[in-house]
Amino acid sequence: MANHTTAAARSAAPSVPASAGRLPLAALLALATAVFVTSLTETLPAGVLPAMSADLGVGEAAMGQSVTVYALGTALTAVPLAARTSGWRRKRLLLTSVAGFAAANTVTAVSSSYALTMGARFLAGVAAGVAWALLAGYARRIAPPHLQGRAVAVAMTGIPLALSLGVPAGTFLGEAVGWRSAFTAMTVIAVGLLGWIALAVPDLPGEARGGRAPVARTLRVPGVLPVLAVTFTLVLAHTVLYTYVAAYLGHVGLAGSTGLVLLLFGGASLAGIWVTGRLIDRGLRILTLAGTILLAVAAAVFAVPSGGTALVLTAAVLWGFGWGGAPTLLQTAVADAGGDAADTAQTMLVSLWNAAMAAGGLAGGVLLDVLGAGALPWSVLVLLVPTVAVVAGARAHGFPARR
């Protein structure tokens, strides 16, 4: 398919001048930091799960539901909040979301109650729903039209940075001075980000009343449904393993290697998103297919009984490299497929993404309790086989060979 931009992107031309056709890096890096805060707040419990569960007096499976309830907060509120706030100025909405993260992480850091902690995690998920519904579109709108895909890739670097640096650093900090300090650090980052956004990110208007396409009509747009289906199964598979990676590593005798595994995973994710940023405008489908296959291969390696340290570390690298570009690829695919309904399609993707995370946290906890940690990689393989088939089959709509 010939290279094109979505009708929504064309109609939402940048409201600020793009100097000499260059990317507005200061603004995009602020958005990337917002993505970093969102992603790290979401995934930080994976690195400090044993300490959190011991301190709050619950089992690891119950503590793993802190990821589930965060995802539920996003999944349940992203679509209605996006509709209610569609007319808000974009900077005001982003600042509100980041302030929500600061509040939620502060409560998490000081809470001694499991119920209160879960409530704070739900609030963080609501803030994430607001952020994810606007970040990709924000990045596209402040970039020159021919660099919109790359602008989204720059903003999405916050995800692999959170995984490669944030979670290992949070794990180390949690082991050194306690898990609460990791969430306190997240509050400090969020407060600093508020000032950065205020100074560096241009303001943009919200949408005109009635500007969003209805959900039912958007689902009928060719290509939207396959992208959403792939999003659900891919994120579900990833979350089942990532949330309980510490438990899995303990199962294979590598309980002390959680930080190293997460560091390798995150570093490989950075490489994956770099490749995605370079090639996304020419190979959306092949990148999505390759990433999904790499995740399946990694799961197969994890599933090998007594594979040894080298194999586990190799699988972590494959897993990270395959996963790194997934957010950018799926956001771009659903925006391209959605056309005039791109904004609604992206908000639906955010909700479905987090519904999959909630389901993954819940399913992983059940698997851990009933079948043990060894069942986690096998469940990932079961989910990824149909995912590969859908990506491979969506040639004309959803995942075209060329954008």
Side-chain angles (χ1 to χ4, degrees):
M1 177 180 290
N3 184 45
H4 67 281
T5 55
T6 67
R10 289 193 295 269
S11 64
S15 300
V16 293
S19 178
R22 294 191 297 268
L23 288 175
L25 283 177
L28 287 173
L29 290 175
L31 297 183
T33 305
V35 172
F36 176 88
V37 169
T38 303
S39 300
L40 185 52
T41 299
E42 182 176 44
T43 56
L44 187 56
V48 294
L49 196 65
M52 287 184 74
S53 65
D55 197 10
L56 296 178
V58 297
E60 288 189 17
M63 200 67 250
Q65 302 317 304
S66 62
V67 175
T68 302
V69 75
Y70 177 106
L72 279 175
T74 303
L76 294 176
T77 63
V79 170
L81 279 179
R84 291 292 297 271
T85 61
S86 62
W88 287 30
R89 304 286 301 186
R90 298 295 90 181
K91 182 185 283 192
R92 174 190 173 195
L93 191 55
L94 181 57
L95 288 171
T96 301
S97 171
V98 175
F101 279 108
N105 282 317
T106 299
V107 173
T108 303
V110 301
S111 172
S112 59
S113 162
Y114 176 73
L116 180 59
T117 298
M118 297 298 271
R121 293 290 296 170
F122 185 85
L123 173 62
V126 173
V130 173
W132 280 116
L134 69 91
L135 281 166
Y138 212 152
R140 291 168 73 104
R141 290 177 66 187
I142 63 176
H146 67 288
L147 293 176
Q148 287 179 342
R150 190 166 296 181
V152 175
V154 171
M156 291 301 117
T157 57
I159 296 175
L161 282 173
L163 301 176
S164 63
L165 300 179
V167 176
T171 302
F172 174 80
L173 193 62
E175 291 173 350
V177 293
W179 65 269
R180 297 179 187 277
S181 62
F183 285 95
T184 301
M186 290 303 304
T187 297
V188 172
I189 293 171
V191 170
L193 177 59
L194 288 171
W196 189 358
I197 292 170
L199 291 173
V201 178
D203 196 9
L204 296 176
E207 301 170 15
R209 184 177 295 274
R212 286 194 168 234
V215 168
R217 192 183 83 191
T218 303
L219 284 172
R220 293 195 295 270
V221 175
V224 169
L225 202 54
V227 176
L228 294 178
V230 168
T231 297
F232 184 82
T233 54
L234 197 63
V235 175
L236 177 62
H238 166 77
T239 305
V240 163
L241 188 56
Y242 191 87
T243 304
Y244 300 99
V245 66
Y248 165 78
L249 292 172
H251 169 73
V252 296
L254 297 173
S257 300
T258 301
L260 175 59
V261 167
L262 292 176
L263 182 63
L264 290 173
F265 171 86
S269 294
L270 277 175
I273 201 169
W274 181 83
V275 171
T276 297
R278 300 286 294 179
L279 301 178
I280 188 171
D281 290 322
R282 301 192 302 273
L284 177 64
R285 177 173 170 272
I286 191 64
L287 287 171
T288 308
L289 189 59
T292 306
I293 291 172
L294 280 176
L295 290 174
V297 171
V301 175
F302 278 132
V304 174
S306 304
T309 302
L311 274 180
V312 169
L313 297 182
T314 299
V317 171
L318 294 175
W319 180 20
F321 192 67
W323 177 255
T328 300
L329 291 166
L330 294 170
Q331 288 264 14
T332 302
V334 84
D336 284 356
D340 290 333
D343 288 336
T344 300
Q346 287 188 319
T347 303
M348 291 166 63
L349 182 140
V350 169
S351 293
L352 198 62
W353 184 292
N354 285 277
M357 291 198 66
L362 183 61
V366 171
L367 285 169
L368 187 63
D369 278 347
V370 176
L371 299 177
L376 297 175
W378 288 107
S379 68
V380 173
L381 273 174
V382 169
L383 288 166
L384 290 181
V385 169
T387 307
V388 170
V390 173
V391 176
R395 295 173 179 270
H397 300 288
F399 297 100
R402 297 177 65 86
R403 289 183 66 212

